[in-house]
Amino acid sequence: MQPDVTFVIAAYNAELTIERAIASAIAQRDVSVEIIVVDDQSRDRTLDLARSYPEDIVRVVALEQNRGPGGARNAGLELARGRWVAVLDSDDAVYPGRICTMIDRAEKAGAEIAVDNLQVVREDGVAEETMFPADYLEGLGEISLADYIAGNVVFESRFNLGYLKPIFQRRFLSENGLRYDEGLIIGEDYILLASALAKGGKCVVEPTTGYVYHIRTGSISRVLELHHVEAMRKADLVFARTHSMDAAAEAAFARRTRSLRKAASFLSLVQHIKARSPLKAVWTVLSDPAAVRHMGMPIAVRLRRVAAQFAAGAGEVKGAGS
């Protein structure tokens, strides 16, 4: 029989957390579950631990080469048989009633996508507040493409909707050729959901909390670097060429584009400061003053002073040579 849901768990060096993720998927109530663990060339015991479960409970795929989070998830999606698919990060978990609740909400609304709230758990095991205020999600009800893009404006969105962990109707993904962008290490979740919405997918919001998001020091998703932002900008250009957007979505997309440009300038500035390249740092500030707004005030003030001195010096030299 076709499972109600397929959990795709992409794993890389996750020996400390993979069993928790698998156990939470197995524990789902009132739905039939298929679990696919895709090992992305781990160098620890992740693959052995995943293979310790009976094959009829956990299906394990060992990739021949490292493909990154998007590639590993795509490998799992290709093998999925469930009516719905849910991506579960190998260091996270889900509550037992999550999938049943989300499928029920989606199918009653005739939706192809559903999202819910996330419980944030610190590395020491202490549960913090939920990712989003419950009344905020209740007020959304559904998420449009414009809503979603606006909720992914880097450094500026009130609530970052990129953290949402959607479930998708598998047939909808397949019919529209939707897969993760394997060129992205950060932002691959955003592009997939945005593309699904652009293809006409209806996304309903289940305001209860079903996903357990564990904060982990050194996690890729918590360390934003310049090359990540540049890859996101490139993916956004492809998105804009591939999908049509209404006026509201286009306006939100323009804000996101500006925010990514500022983020790139900011991270470039940080890179120059760390490399002790003051002239390059000053040039970045002069090229995009908005980048400084993301800096701490003392650093910003110092850079402005240096930029002013540099500009004044350049003016004197120009005047002397004219």
Side-chain angles (χ1 to χ4, degrees):
M1 293 181 61
Q2 184 181 31
D4 291 316
V5 65
T6 296
F7 277 99
V8 175
I9 305 176
Y12 176 72
N13 291 346
E15 65 178 5
L16 299 179
T17 59
I18 187 66
E19 292 180 294
R20 179 180 64 200
I22 292 173
S24 72
I26 293 173
Q28 291 303 293
R29 296 192 300 255
D30 302 319
V31 289
S32 54
V33 174
E34 175 184 52
I35 301 171
I36 299 176
V37 174
V38 182
D39 182 75
D40 197 18
Q41 281 285 301
S42 294
R43 293 170 293 173
D44 61 5
R45 297 177 57 246
T46 299
L47 183 57
D48 292 335
L49 291 172
R51 284 176 169 166
S52 68
Y53 293 84
E55 292 183 7
D56 61 334
I57 295 178
V58 178
R59 185 175 181 181
V60 181
V61 179
L63 297 182
E64 295 182 357
Q65 61 182 17
N66 183 278
R67 290 174 55 181
R73 290 170 181 169
N74 283 341
L77 290 176
E78 292 300 327
L79 299 173
R81 298 182 300 112
R83 294 189 299 112
W84 292 82
V85 291
V87 168
L88 173 58
D89 289 348
S90 59
D91 53 354
D92 292 336
V94 286
Y95 289 133
R98 182 192 189 227
I99 295 299
C100 179
T101 301
M102 294 180 78
I103 289 178
D104 183 61
R105 168 82 62 167
E107 293 185 341
K108 285 181 177 177
E112 295 82 12
I113 312 160
V115 296
D116 61 352
N117 210 340
L118 299 86
Q119 175 64 60
V120 179
V121 178
R122 296 190 330 217
E123 197 163 19
D124 59 7
V126 175
E128 296 185 339
E129 296 181 354
T130 55
M131 183 76 71
F132 307 98
D135 58 350
Y136 169 71
L137 292 185
E138 288 174 356
L140 281 178
E142 294 182 15
I143 296 178
S144 67
L145 178 59
D147 293 331
Y148 189 60
I149 296 175
N152 282 275
V153 176
V154 181
F155 296 146
E156 296 178 25
S157 298
R158 181 186 175 198
F159 298 113
N160 189 340
L161 298 184
Y163 282 104
L164 292 170
K165 299 292 184 178
I167 66 169
F168 295 95
Q169 190 182 77
R170 185 176 63 85
R171 183 176 62 185
F172 177 78
L173 292 181
S174 298
E175 290 177 348
N176 288 282
L178 294 171
R179 290 293 185 266
Y180 286 94
D181 184 334
E182 299 190 21
L184 292 173
I185 296 178
I186 290 181
E188 74 280 5
D189 294 308
Y190 163 77
I191 286 292
L192 180 63
L193 181 47
S195 298
L197 292 168
K199 288 286 188 179
K202 180 178 181 180
C203 179
V204 292
V205 178
E206 169 53 53
T208 59
T209 304
Y211 194 96
V212 185
Y213 177 80
H214 288 264
I215 296 175
R216 182 165 56 87
T217 302
S219 172
I220 291 176
S221 63
R222 299 184 62 79
V223 182
L224 189 64
E225 298 179 359
L226 179 58
H227 65 95
H228 296 144
V229 175
E230 294 296 355
M232 291 162 68
R233 295 175 75 183
K234 181 179 178 181
D236 272 21
L237 288 174
V238 174
F239 177 87
R241 290 198 300 265
T242 307
H243 303 289
S244 60
M245 294 178 276
D246 61 21
E250 285 185 349
F253 187 83
R255 293 198 302 274
R256 174 176 161 84
T257 299
R258 288 193 296 270
S259 77
L260 287 174
R261 189 204 74 225
K262 293 177 184 177
S265 295
F266 163 64
L267 292 170
S268 179
L269 177 59
V270 171
Q271 202 171 76
H272 294 324
I273 292 172
K274 287 182 177 180
R276 298 185 178 182
S277 302
L279 291 180
K280 291 181 179 179
V282 169
W283 178 252
T284 300
V285 173
L286 292 174
S287 300
D288 190 358
V292 178
R293 296 174 192 167
H294 297 306
M295 301 295 292
M297 185 57 67
I299 297 177
V301 170
R302 286 202 300 271
L303 282 170
R304 288 193 186 101
R305 288 175 180 168
V306 173
Q309 293 170 359
F310 181 82
E316 290 173 1
V317 172
K318 183 179 180 180
S322 58

